[in-house]
Amino acid sequence: MFGNRRMPNGMSEEAQSRGHAVWEGAPCKGALYPIRARGSSLLSTIKRLNMILRGWRNYFQLDLRRSVYYELDCHIRRHLRKLVWLAWKRPKRRMAALIKLGIPTAEARKASGVGSGAWRMSGTKTMHKAYPLDFFRRNKLYSLLEMK
């Protein structure tokens, strides 16, 4: 009647009624949405995010489901790639930034001209080559899966 009401676990009532998986006793992906990189660098965004992730890990330390932490780690890295894509704004800037990160010119041109949304682009091979897992490890992004 008034749209989809969100439940405490971050899922809508409709999604739960359709039988979608509910992560009871696990951090909610919706808590990441206030983390935005507007006006700040990716490194400062990672610093702010690390505080939240450490708190999650300490709160849920007895939860031994590695798959939940793996999925959250992947989601967090994709969210950060999305923020980078949004920060570049224009195709010309995107192409220049991708080339600077070591992506071949033809691939960078093709990726920068795509009209897909930022979330879809953050999951592409091009963005994974530009910002691989090693980049996030070097910049000390807290991993829920690897930390204890």
Side-chain angles (χ1 to χ4, degrees):
M1 183 172 171
F2 296 104
N4 287 337
R5 204 172 85 214
R6 293 278 169 193
M7 302 303 284
N9 60 11
M11 294 186 69
S12 66
E13 288 178 346
E14 182 183 342
Q16 286 185 10
S17 67
R18 287 192 309 246
H20 288 269
V22 179
W23 291 352
E24 292 185 21
C28 177
K29 292 178 187 177
L32 294 176
Y33 295 120
I35 306 288
R36 288 193 166 77
R38 292 184 184 140
S40 62
S41 70
L42 181 61
L43 298 180
S44 64
T45 304
I46 287 174
K47 279 184 182 178
R48 285 185 298 157
L49 186 59
N50 280 344
M51 290 188 294
I52 295 169
L53 296 176
R54 280 193 184 97
W56 278 1
R57 188 61 178 148
N58 287 330
Y59 186 80
F60 295 104
Q61 64 187 336
L62 297 178
D63 190 356
L64 301 175
R65 295 176 293 173
R66 294 177 54 85
S67 62
V68 173
Y69 293 124
Y70 175 76
E71 287 180 30
L72 280 170
D73 277 348
C74 292
H75 182 84
I76 290 163
R77 288 191 302 270
R78 186 169 180 182
H79 184 75
L80 291 171
R81 287 183 189 108
K82 178 193 80 165
L83 294 177
V84 169
W85 187 260
L86 288 172
W88 290 340
K89 293 185 180 180
R90 302 279 176 213
K92 193 173 185 179
R93 171 69 182 118
R94 289 174 179 159
M95 188 172 98
L98 287 171
I99 291 170
K100 188 176 179 182
L101 289 167
I103 305 298
T105 307
E107 188 178 345
R109 184 179 296 119
K110 186 177 179 182
S112 64
V114 173
S116 299
W119 183 253
R120 177 170 273 183
M121 287 306 299
S122 66
T124 61
K125 288 181 182 178
T126 305
M127 284 301 286
H128 280 266
K129 284 186 206 171
Y131 288 96
L133 177 60
D134 187 49
F135 169 83
F136 294 110
R137 284 187 178 142
R138 275 193 323 262
N139 289 298
K140 298 180 176 73
L141 176 65
Y142 189 84
S143 172
L144 295 170
L145 182 64
E146 294 173 3
M147 298 300 170
K148 295 183 178 180

